[in-house]
Amino acid sequence: METILKTQNLTSPWQTDSPFIFCAHHNDQFPKGNEDLGPAVSLHNRKLGSDFSNTNGFSMYHGKIVPGFPAHPHVGFETVTIVLKGTVDHFDSSKSTGRYANGDVQWLTTGKGCMHSEMFPLLNTVAPNPLKLFQIWLNLPAKNKKANPYYKMFWNEEIPVIDFKDDNNKNVNVRIIAGEFNGHKSLKPNPDSWASDQENHVSILLLKMDPFSQIKLPAVSNTLNRNIYFYSEEGNINIDGQKIESQTRVKLKGDEEITIENGPLQSEILVLEGEPINEPVVNYGPFIANSEAELKEIFHEYQKTEFGGWPWDKPDQVHSRNTGRFAKYSDGRLEKK
């Protein structure tokens, strides 16, 4: 029986299966920064406020001065933001804030609703500021959709990383954002997350494979949704005798051990897998509900309260250039790195 259920070219946003509902990959070659932490180049002819053009290798997204996503609402799901390279400034409606970068992960449960911003300040004024990140949306089950908003940081230094040699003495690197691999477990997910119950088998893994190396993904269950995203710019891998080119999503069986054999170039792969949340999904942009009636309630609540409003001076607020990595939570706790 074939282990590959589907292959698909990667187009933005990447297609996912429950319990995941969205995956965006940002790969921007931002130039050196100016005094306002924005690009030190002309932004003429960009549609500022909604620039997804990738002109000269980067987009401003909804930012007009600093690239990024000014204040916007989310309801009913979680965002898992994995920063491989670059810097993100976070502000939200609960007065939480922070800066994270270069290997850090932010796990945000939006629950019953929150406003937040994600800006990409360009801190280096003498050299380019490349940004590479994933934002993954993980659905919440109905029983947790009205949870209080909550976020935590997985700092780069604390995320479990496995370096091992395969049977042919080739190197493989695995970063465990969620779930477990070869007996190594991730940091603890947020308490209301679908990933917090091990029976839901949620895994978020980043694989880096040396040329001609191999890795085995274990058999889990016949209901597991398992997708790998081979996002390297070039190269190929082999699964079950089938050659897979780079920039491809591969949906795989969840109840068979899967061997991924790398080709002649280093390869990078994102693994998303988990048991499906077998509930209806009704969404309008960043509002995720289980029914049209719930969606109407969410709109009414947002119009009435804006999920606590916006306590910051600007919708595109950023920290100063010399601010280090930190997280300040709504209860006053402060973490510095």
Side-chain angles (χ1 to χ4, degrees), residues 95-260:
K95 298 185 179 179
S96 298
T97 182
R99 169 170 283 176
Y100 55 107
N102 299 324
D104 298 331
V105 175
Q106 184 201 66
W107 195 305
L108 170 66
T109 303
T110 68
K112 64 183 181 182
C114 75
M115 298 275 287
H116 80 148
S117 64
E118 303 148 294
M119 305 305 297
F120 310 142
L122 308 184
L123 305 183
N124 197 326
T125 60
V126 297
N129 290 271
L131 175 82
K132 191 172 185 178
L133 67 79
F134 298 105
Q135 185 166 96
I136 299 159
W137 291 9
L138 175 60
N139 200 7
L140 286 166
K143 66 185 180 69
N144 293 338
K145 271 191 159 50
K146 293 189 177 180
N148 289 325
Y150 178 93
Y151 101 93
K152 69 192 302 185
M153 289 303 308
F154 292 0
W155 300 110
N156 176 49
E157 298 87 343
E158 300 165 2
I159 294 171
V161 179
I162 307 170
D163 285 298
F164 68 92
K165 292 186 180 294
D166 67 10
D167 293 341
N168 297 316
N169 209 36
K170 304 295 185 180
N171 294 315
V172 179
N173 175 279
V174 182
R175 288 177 61 83
I176 308 173
I177 311 301
E180 62 178 283
F181 186 81
N182 281 0
H184 298 265
K185 293 185 177 181
S186 71
L187 299 174
K188 191 174 181 179
N190 290 1
D192 293 300
S193 177
W194 186 248
S196 66
D197 185 344
Q198 294 184 8
E199 294 301 310
N200 293 330
H201 302 134
V202 174
S203 285
I204 302 174
L205 308 174
L206 290 169
L207 313 182
K208 190 176 291 185
M209 304 180 65
D210 276 4
F212 303 112
S213 61
Q214 295 184 5
I215 191 171
K216 296 181 187 294
L217 303 180
V220 179
S221 78
N222 62 5
T223 53
L224 185 83
N225 281 329
R226 169 179 280 167
N227 283 278
I228 68 167
Y229 301 85
F230 179 23
Y231 65 90
S232 297
E233 293 298 325
E234 54 184 342
N236 59 76
I237 58 176
N238 188 290
I239 300 174
D240 196 24
Q242 182 170 332
K243 186 177 180 180
I244 308 292
E245 299 294 338
S246 60
Q247 295 290 300
T248 301
R249 167 204 178 196
V250 186
K251 182 176 173 65
L252 298 163
K253 287 180 66 67
D255 58 352
E256 292 185 14
E257 182 180 77
I258 306 291
T259 300
I260 302 172

Side-chain angles (χ1 to χ4, degrees), residues 4 8 10 20 22 46 49 53 184 209 244 284 311 323 333:
I4 296 176
Q8 179 183 42
L10 290 180
F20 302 98
F22 175 90
R46 289 181 184 264
S53 64
H184 298 265
M209 304 180 65
I244 308 292
Y284 182 83
T323 301
R333 286 182 300 119

